[in-house]
Amino acid sequence: MSLDRETVRRVAKLARIRVDEDRLDDLGRELNQIIDWVEQLGEVDTTDVPPMTSVEKHKLRWRADEVTDGGYPEKVTGNAPASDMNFFAVPKVVE
Amino acid sequence: MTDLTDLTLAEARDGLTKGDFTSLEITEAYIKAIGTARPLNAFISETPEKAVEMAKASDARRRKGETGALEGVPLGIKDLFCTEGVLTTAASHILDGFHPPYESTVTRNLWDAGAVMLGKLNLDEFAMGSSNENSYYGPAVNPWAPEGDNRRYVPGGSSGGSAAAVSSHIVVAATGTDTGGSIRQPAAFTGIVGVKPTYGRCSRFGIVAFASSLDQAGPMARTVRDAAIMLKSMAGFDPKDSTSVDAAVPDFEAALDQDVRGLKIGIPAEYRVDGMPEEIGQLWARGEEMLRDAGAEIVPISLPHTKYALPTYYIVAPAEASSNLARYDGMRYGLRVPGEDLLDTYERTRAEGFGNEVQRRVMIGTYVLSAGYYDAYYRKAQQVRTLILRDFEQAFGKVDAILTPTTPTPSFAEGEKTGDPISMYLNDVFTVPASMAGLPGASVPVGLSKDGMPLGLQILSPAFDEMTLFRVAGALEQRAGYDARPSKWWVK
């Protein structure tokens, strides 16, 4: 399997990373090198092998659906590149 | 009076207890040492004022008779742990100016035990790397270099700043994190002890996430005893991390009172890889000899899926990273690069904020999770991961611990491997399998290469059996008698 220019462009779009046209070929080569290498896993017979979802044997713990923290919006928005009245200020989403 | 920076953590702790010196005195000695070691680029942020303030508070607690297990001991913290109000970067441009409003559980545990923070240590960006050359803040430098060689050598990664700082005696000990070998590999490259505990032993709350099913915090220290003392304070159940395991934390230091007589140590055939330098094989054989001398039984074992662990890792870890790093969108914290619209802002922010290796891994992860490829790559990798775990489970039916080399080579010069991602990834070929299985592992310095660079051996034990891990590590350390120190070339 190899990634062509169009696939690299699509993956970059999905990953929300801007990739300039002149970098597509180089990046494609790098990604292909890695993908070709991981394809050796095809040699392993995994018929009837369950995929591992966790190394831990026990079930995921649940907690009560209760608020345990909060009440400090200025701390929450304190690191924002832009904020206004304790809200995150973001670029316009809807025209 | 001896130089306070020569003391091990255990000696510093005991000296503080006896009143031979105060926390302020030892903290100031380390602040001075840090000032002479800037060429190592081990720190991203030095926090001397905070250190002095914490040391004074520790001395005050001691006067009142309130002492924790690490009371007054100055430590360095990998800059992947969120520290309340102190710049936390993950060595990435995208976290510019981020001052967490909360403290990671591991660092909270250390401060509760009385420890003092000297600052935040350098690493590969988002812990992705094996040389510390992927840091936005520049590479950390190995205190070690072959004699007469003027090139700079890498301290390993991703916990390269932690390794360099412990090895050069500018911190007593440091925290690291290990996803595929990021504690053990740099420990081996710099001649120190590094321990990755069992997955679930230390809380991941407040540690900047890379690959959540693998990431685990651990200690990096100058002796096995120091690592045991520090892990005891770092570990413990945390309801804030749903993967944290509610298991009692034993007194790891007590493991060092026991020898290894009667223990069975497995030597896996598959760790003898093609092209491995002869000196690594010799070191391994010496380690075997030392443990046999100490009374352990050496047992040949097989871990047949070893060669598939690294390619499995390079599907699983990037997949989890691509998902974890989706939160860096320029909206709530860190860098924002304005674009024409929202999507363009995301894309420009992430292109500028992430370095090359991070972009490469996020894209690999996005690809292997994308429609049409999920079963071929991600599901396949998770199946192979099951087989890797089964290999270890079978082996631990026969042996109590496993001995392997930590790395296939000693440290290399900066720039030597940057052009070839796969040759860089091969650094972690011996550390990754245990990570895939969630098992604890330790690297112990055992000798020097023919060029005079540190080499380590790795010990693995069953899950939650760190007591055996420390027992074997202690025996190996004692027999190896490793006491080499780098020449202090960085002190002008």
Side-chain angles (χ1 to χ4, degrees), chain B residues 137-156:
Chain B
Y137 296 88
V141 179
N142 196 330
W144 288 88
E147 212 179 312
D149 191 335
N150 291 325
R151 292 177 300 171
R152 304 200 303 181
Y153 277 70
V154 303

Side-chain angles (χ1 to χ4, degrees), chain B residues 151-325:
Chain B
R151 292 177 300 171
R152 304 200 303 181
Y153 277 70
V154 303
S158 67
S159 311
S162 301
V166 173
S167 172
S168 61
H169 287 238
I170 60 173
V171 299
V172 178
T175 60
T177 65
D178 192 311
T179 302
S182 282
I183 287 175
R184 292 161 286 161
Q185 184 258 14
F189 274 13
T190 58
I192 64 165
V193 176
V195 176
K196 181 201 94 81
T198 312
Y199 182 81
R201 185 63 100 175
C202 288
S203 169
R204 292 183 298 106
F205 176 80
I207 299 174
V208 175
F210 162 16
S212 304
S213 78
L214 298 157
D215 299 344
Q216 190 57 204
M220 302 178 76
R222 296 196 284 262
T223 68
V224 173
R225 182 175 299 276
D226 289 4
I229 295 168
M230 197 167 149
L231 180 59
K232 172 99 165 86
S233 291
M234 292 169 71
F237 173 63
D238 180 12
K240 288 178 182 161
D241 171 7
S242 63
T243 60
S244 157
V245 172
D246 194 355
V249 179
D251 180 2
F252 301 120
E253 197 181 0
L256 303 178
D257 299 336
Q258 289 180 292
D259 59 32
V260 293
R261 270 176 292 183
L263 284 188
K264 291 195 172 87
I265 310 292
I267 306 291
E270 292 80 5
Y271 279 59
R272 218 168 288 282
V273 298
D274 291 344
M276 185 167 86
E278 208 179 307
E279 59 188 358
I280 300 288
Q282 286 164 356
L283 181 88
W284 194 12
R286 245 170 61 213
E288 228 179 275
E289 203 54 47
M290 288 175 203
L291 292 178
R292 193 182 289 120
D293 280 355
E297 187 189 336
I298 302 297
V299 181
I301 56 165
S302 174
L303 298 167
H305 295 91
T306 298
K307 80 172 260 213
Y308 300 108
L310 202 58
T312 303
Y313 178 83
Y314 278 96
I315 294 172
V316 173
E320 294 184 15
S322 72
S323 164
N324 271 326
L325 271 55

